[in-house]
Amino acid sequence: IEGDGQFLLSSNVTEGSYNIEVGVTEDDQTVKSSVTVDVNLVTKEMIDHMLTLKLMDVTADSFVGSATYFGRVNYYSRLKNLLRSLLNIENSDQVVIFAMRESDDDYELDYRRPYHLPELDIGLVVYENDGETFMSPVYLNAILSTNRVDVSF
């Protein structure tokens, strides 16, 4: 684990859930916690069926943050449940989020954006109810476009 909290896994790590004990020390204070890391295989077929969503005013930390925040479910779980409902799928685990990229802090001043909000791009696929095939990203986009809701996380 690097000093900035990032860690890399070797290419021979198998799929599964891994519990990692982490600790952060500043001055003489140490805080320890457990973190669960889920490792999933990302295939070419998943990439071919990936839908990218841009979330405004959301950081990566707030998206995957603790399961509840002030009694509310985190963005990650809420998005998966929203998609489960909109797409009429059986289980929110059929939504697989496998890519996240936070916008760069560097941006050009733009009169259309008087202040900068963080942006988070996420890549996801959705399994059909058969659990084997993926929904088309064109179909997913159509459903999301026709069911625009203000998702105030």
Side-chain angles (χ1 to χ4, degrees):
I1 295 182
E2 303 293 326
D4 63 359
Q6 294 185 25
F7 62 95
L8 299 173
L9 299 174
S10 67
S11 61
N12 62 354
V13 171
T14 57
E15 288 186 89
S17 291
Y18 297 87
N19 292 317
I20 300 172
E21 296 293 321
V22 296
V24 176
T25 302
E26 186 173 327
D27 298 327
D28 61 342
Q29 299 287 322
T30 299
V31 176
K32 294 183 180 184
S33 183
S34 296
V35 176
T36 301
V37 176
D38 292 322
V39 176
N40 297 302
L41 177 66
V42 176
T43 65
K44 181 179 181 329
E45 185 180 12
M46 290 174 81
I47 292 170
D48 291 343
H49 288 84
M50 178 175 71
L51 175 72
T52 302
L53 297 177
K54 182 178 291 294
L55 306 179
M56 302 299 294
D57 200 17
V58 176
T59 63
D61 287 342
S62 63
F63 184 75
V64 295
S66 57
T68 58
Y69 181 71
F70 291 112
R72 299 179 74 183
V73 177
N74 68 8
Y75 295 156
Y76 172 80
S77 298
R78 291 175 70 191
L79 177 63
K80 287 179 70 164
N81 287 327
L82 173 69
L83 292 172
R84 180 188 55 75
S85 175
L86 287 175
L87 300 170
N88 198 27
I89 56 177
E90 296 170 356
N91 188 319
S92 64
D93 288 340
Q94 289 171 245
V95 178
V96 179
I97 298 171
F98 63 90
M100 266 193 324
R101 190 188 69 159
E102 204 169 87
S103 63
D104 294 332
D105 290 334
D106 298 333
Y107 63 96
E108 292 183 30
L109 189 57
D110 185 335
Y111 69 91
R112 295 168 293 185
R113 294 176 59 187
Y115 55 93
H116 179 66
L117 295 175
E119 298 173 355
L120 182 66
D121 293 328
I122 60 169
L124 61 89
V125 292
V126 179
Y127 281 97
E128 296 277 2
N129 284 328
D130 66 11
E132 306 217 354
T133 57
F134 298 109
M135 290 185 178
S136 157
V138 174
Y139 171 74
L140 295 173
N141 190 44
I143 294 294
L144 293 174
S145 294
T146 58
N147 290 285
R148 285 197 174 246
V149 290
D150 179 16
V151 184
S152 299
F153 290 114

